[in-house]
């Protein structure tokens, strides 16, 4: 693969890794919605999609008709696919830089404020009045916890209320910095420098 395509792939991935690293350097958790988390991952994979399946499936007739604008159309198609995948997924909230044990008490308090009938069963939480049922899924490698809908029958308005309540509750939690943040930032910076180095080398040789 030529350096220009490698740069297209590496740049968004590097930005994503560095953003995750900066988030995990904080002493407070960050709560984001499932669609926001999915969109961020979609951005990170944009370069791979452009160089990989989009380039392979690019219609020759469309390239002749639209010229360079065909890439804009294909990129729009990619984002429509990303949006569809996000919309079809189960509701969820992602809590960066916190384990399930660290956010459990704050989640319990937020749930009680929203629904006095809220109850736990192991790592699962049910809020019957909000029509929200979820379970905690912790990824210890990155110290992130996802609140995942445990059934397809969910009330999206209830999830939005829970998301706002968890955002407020997260401000009172202090978790400390995630040790993995250092390697995420270092890996992102290395990828970004490599991508810029490729482009500078190509420019010096007159290819860019």
């Amino acid at each position: 693969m030529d350096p220009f395509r490698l740069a297209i792939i590496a740049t968004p991935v590097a930005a994503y890794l560095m953003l995750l690293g900066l988030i995990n350097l904080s002493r407070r958790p960050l709560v984001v919605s499932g669609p926001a988390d999915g969109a961020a991952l979609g951005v990170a994979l944009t370069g791979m999609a452009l160089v990989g399946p989009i380039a392979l499936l690019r219609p020759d007739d469309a390239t002749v008709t639209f010229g360079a604008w065909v890439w804009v159309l294909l990129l729009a198609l990619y984002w429509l696919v990303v949006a569809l995948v996000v919309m079809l997924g189960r509701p969820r909230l992602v809590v960066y830089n916190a384990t399930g044990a660290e956010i459990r008490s704050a989640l319990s308090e937020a749930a009680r404020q929203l629904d006095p009938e809220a109850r736990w069963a192991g790592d699962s939480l049910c809020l019957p009045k909000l029509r929200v049922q979820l379970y905690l899924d912790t990824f210890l490698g990155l110290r992130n916890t996802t609140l995942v809908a445990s059934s397809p029958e969910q009330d999206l308005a209830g999830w939005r209320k829970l998301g706002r309540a968890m955002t407020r509750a997260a401000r009172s939690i202090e978790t400390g910095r995630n040790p993995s943040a250092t390697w995420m930032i270092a890996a992102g910076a290395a990828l970004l420098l490599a991508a810029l180095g490729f482009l500078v080398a190509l420019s010096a040789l007159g290819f860019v």
Side-chain angles (χ1 to χ4, degrees), residues 28 41 56 141:
R28 305 284 183 187
L41 184 59
L56 291 174

Side-chain angles (χ1 to χ4, degrees), residues 181-198:
T182 303
W183 73 257
M184 284 188 280
I185 293 176
L191 277 175
L192 187 60
L193 288 174
L196 292 175
F198 289 148

Side-chain angles (χ1 to χ4, degrees), residues 1-12 45-58 71 74-75 78:
M1 185 179 294
D2 64 81
F4 182 70
R5 292 184 179 182
L6 286 174
I8 291 175
I9 294 173
T11 300
L45 298 178
T46 299
M48 294 184 187
L50 282 173
V51 172
I54 289 179
L56 291 174
L57 299 176
R58 176 169 52 94
W71 293 105
L74 291 173
L75 189 60
Y78 166 75

Side-chain angles (χ1 to χ4, degrees), residues 31-33 93 110 113-114 130 156-171:
V31 181
V32 300
S33 67
L93 296 170
Q113 292 176 2
L114 295 171
L130 291 185
L156 295 181
W159 274 91
R160 286 192 289 269
K161 291 178 182 178
L162 180 61
R164 291 192 292 268
M166 276 302 298
T167 299
R168 293 191 297 268
R171 297 170 187 158

